[in-house]
Amino acid sequence: MAASAVLDLVRELIARPSVTPEDLDCQQLIARRLAPLGFESETIARGGVTNLWARRGDSGPLVVFAGHTDVVPPGPREKWDSDPFVPTERDGYLYGRGAADMKSSIASFIVACEEFAAAHPRHEGSIALLLTSDEEGPAADGTVIVCDELKRRGVQLDYCIVGEPTSGEKLGDTCKNGRRGSLSGRLAVKGVQGHVAYPHLARNPIHLLAPALTELVAQEWDQGNEYFPPTTFQVSNLNSGTGATNVVPGEAVALFNFRFSTASTPADLKARVHAILDRHGLDYDMDWEQGGEPFLTPRGSLTDALTRAISQETGITTELSTTGGTSDGRFIAKICPQVVEFGPINASIHKIDEWVEVNAIDPLKNIYRRTLEALVA
C-alpha cells in the first residue's frame, strides 16, 4: 500500500464540507472503498442524519472502528489562512476542517482495514465500521440509533476503537478508556421584585442564592477513583435583574454542569443539590438534563493491544485517561464491553486553521492495523 494512501483519502474527505448533520456522501465513498474487501454496508438514516454500518465476516470476536463524518462549522472563512474545505499542506501540517476531528482517523481506519485484509484474507472474527453524521450535533439520530438497532438484532460487539483525537503533545501519548458523564441544571430562584430603597418590601433572589451557591461550589462530590478524577461542578451562566440599578430583581437563574465519574450517580448528585437548596430555604424551580452517562473500560485485552501497538509504532508509553468531554463512546459502551478512544493530536480541534501532522497520519493507520492484528489475525 502506497505511503500516501491515507493522506489522499484524508484530503478527499476534507474536501467534502460535511457540516453536521450533513454527510455529503462521505459514507458512500467509504462504503465503495470497503466493498472490494468483502464488507457489507448498509445505511441507517433518520431525521436528516446518515449512519453507516459496514461489516466484514460473520463470526466473533467483532472489532468495530467508530467515528463521525460530520464536522463543526468552520467559522469566519476570512480568518482561515486557507479555505477550510480545501485541504492544504504547509510546513508539515495538513489544514482543513475535520483534519484532526476526525477525518484523518476515518481514513486511517479504511487503509488499515485494506492492509490488514490483504495480509490476512482469512482472519479470525469480524471487522466493522460504525459511522455517523450526527456526532457534532444533538447526537439524537446518530450512533445511538445504530446501537439500538444492533442490540435489537442481537449483534455482539466485542471491541470498539473510537477515532476521537485524544493525543496531547505527541501521537500516542494519550488514549481514553472512559469518559465522564454530563449532568446540567437550570436553577431559577424566586424572589420579590421591588425598589432598592425599600428592601423590606422586596426579596432579593441574588442575595438568597449566594450562600447556597457558595456551598455548592465548595462541595467535594466524590474523590474519583483509579481511572476518574473527582466529579466537578461548574456554574456556566448567572442571570438576574432588569438592567436598572434601582430595581430588586424578582428572579435569579443559574445554569450549571456536573462532569461526573463512576464514583457518583446522577440521582445522588441531584439529591445532594436539592438538599443544599432546601436547607437554605429557597423557593426555586429546577430543570435537569443529562447529556451522557460515564463509561469505563478497565485495563484488558483491548487496552493492552492498543497500547502495545502504539509502543511498537511510536516508542511511546500511553497514558490511559478519562478526561475531556462526552463522545459517542457513551452509546457504544452500552452494547460493547470494551471501548477505547484513540486518535491524533487534539490541539486544533474546532479551531480556526484545524490541522493534523502529515507525518503522524501513516503511523496512526499502522497503530490501528497492529491492533487488528493483535485481536483477530
Side-chain angles (χ1 to χ4, degrees), residues 255-269:
L255 306 183
F256 60 87
N257 177 265
F258 284 103
R259 291 303 166 104
F260 64 99
S261 71
T262 52
S264 290
T265 66
D268 178 59
L269 294 174

Side-chain angles (χ1 to χ4, degrees), residues 241-302:
T242 65
T245 59
N246 61 349
V247 179
V248 174
E251 183 180 70
V253 176
L255 306 183
F256 60 87
N257 177 265
F258 284 103
R259 291 303 166 104
F260 64 99
S261 71
T262 52
S264 290
T265 66
D268 178 59
L269 294 174
K270 291 178 183 179
R272 291 176 64 183
V273 169
H274 282 288
I276 291 172
L277 298 176
D278 293 342
R279 187 163 61 249
H280 284 269
L282 299 182
D283 181 9
Y284 67 92
D285 292 324
M286 177 76 81
D287 294 315
W288 294 97
E289 181 180 358
Q290 185 168 337
E293 298 178 8
F295 73 90
L296 175 67
T297 296
R299 290 178 176 84
S301 49
L302 178 57

Side-chain angles (χ1 to χ4, degrees), residues 15-133:
R16 297 172 184 246
S18 54
V19 176
T20 189
E22 298 294 334
D23 171 67
L24 296 185
D25 289 330
C26 288
Q27 293 173 24
Q28 287 306 306
L29 166 66
I30 291 164
R32 290 192 297 271
R33 184 92 174 227
L34 292 173
L37 307 181
F39 279 82
E40 295 185 2
S41 299
E42 67 174 301
T43 296
I44 303 173
R46 192 177 78 177
V49 172
T50 305
N51 303 295
L52 178 70
W53 172 250
R55 178 170 178 169
R56 169 189 165 103
D58 55 12
S59 63
L62 172 57
V63 181
V64 179
F65 289 116
H68 58 91
T69 53
D70 61 321
V71 298
V72 296
R77 296 199 178 200
E78 66 273 12
K79 292 187 178 294
W80 285 69
D81 288 337
S82 55
D83 190 305
F85 297 112
V86 176
T88 305
E89 286 187 50
R90 295 193 302 274
D91 302 320
Y93 296 90
L94 177 65
Y95 292 87
R97 177 56 85 223
D101 190 13
M102 54 178 288
K103 290 182 174 179
S104 56
S105 294
I106 291 174
S108 296
F109 288 164
I110 305 311
V111 180
C113 288
E114 291 174 339
E115 292 184 355
F116 177 79
H120 307 279
R122 296 179 178 82
H123 62 81
E124 297 179 359
S126 303
I127 308 169
L129 273 83
L130 194 171
L131 302 177
T132 182
S133 69

Side-chain angles (χ1 to χ4, degrees), residues 77-328:
R77 296 199 178 200
E78 66 273 12
K79 292 187 178 294
W80 285 69
D81 288 337
S82 55
D83 190 305
F85 297 112
V86 176
T88 305
E89 286 187 50
R90 295 193 302 274
D91 302 320
Y93 296 90
L94 177 65
Y95 292 87
R97 177 56 85 223
D101 190 13
M102 54 178 288
K103 290 182 174 179
S104 56
S105 294
I106 291 174
S108 296
F109 288 164
I110 305 311
V111 180
C113 288
E114 291 174 339
E115 292 184 355
F116 177 79
H120 307 279
R122 296 179 178 82
H123 62 81
E124 297 179 359
S126 303
I127 308 169
L129 273 83
L130 194 171
L131 302 177
T132 182
S133 69
D134 186 35
E135 197 274 346
E136 299 289 9
D141 296 312
T143 299
V144 63
I145 71 164
V146 180
C147 290
D148 289 344
E149 177 62 19
L150 294 176
K151 182 178 180 180
R152 186 190 68 79
R153 297 178 186 179
V155 177
Q156 175 61 54
L157 280 62
D158 296 287
Y159 309 107
C160 181
I161 300 174
V162 184
E164 289 291 339
T166 60
S167 299
E169 300 295 328
K170 296 180 180 179
L171 176 69
D173 60 9
T174 308
C175 66
K176 308 286 187 180
N177 66 321
R179 293 275 190 165
R180 295 173 295 176
S182 175
L183 177 66
S184 296
R186 180 187 186 275
L187 169 64
V189 176
K190 302 173 186 178
V192 176
Q193 184 172 316
H195 198 295
V196 296
Y198 301 93
H200 60 289
L201 300 177
R203 196 161 177 261
N204 194 319
I206 300 175
H207 297 181
L208 298 171
L209 172 60
L213 200 57
T214 298
E215 186 173 347
L216 287 167
V217 171
Q219 284 289 302
E220 180 182 75
W221 302 97
D222 58 47
Q223 295 183 338
N225 54 37
E226 177 186 0
Y227 295 102
F228 285 95
T231 291
T232 62
F233 171 89
Q234 287 291 313
V235 177
S236 58
N237 290 265
L238 188 60
N239 301 292
S240 190
T242 65
T245 59
N246 61 349
V247 179
V248 174
E251 183 180 70
V253 176
L255 306 183
F256 60 87
N257 177 265
F258 284 103
R259 291 303 166 104
F260 64 99
S261 71
T262 52
S264 290
T265 66
D268 178 59
L269 294 174
K270 291 178 183 179
R272 291 176 64 183
V273 169
H274 282 288
I276 291 172
L277 298 176
D278 293 342
R279 187 163 61 249
H280 284 269
L282 299 182
D283 181 9
Y284 67 92
D285 292 324
M286 177 76 81
D287 294 315
W288 294 97
E289 181 180 358
Q290 185 168 337
E293 298 178 8
F295 73 90
L296 175 67
T297 296
R299 290 178 176 84
S301 49
L302 178 57
T303 59
D304 288 349
L306 179 60
T307 56
R308 186 165 56 249
I310 292 169
S311 177
Q312 291 169 340
E313 187 64 30
T314 68
I316 291 175
T317 299
T318 304
E319 176 188 357
L320 296 180
S321 172
T322 59
T323 60
T326 59
S327 76
D328 278 358

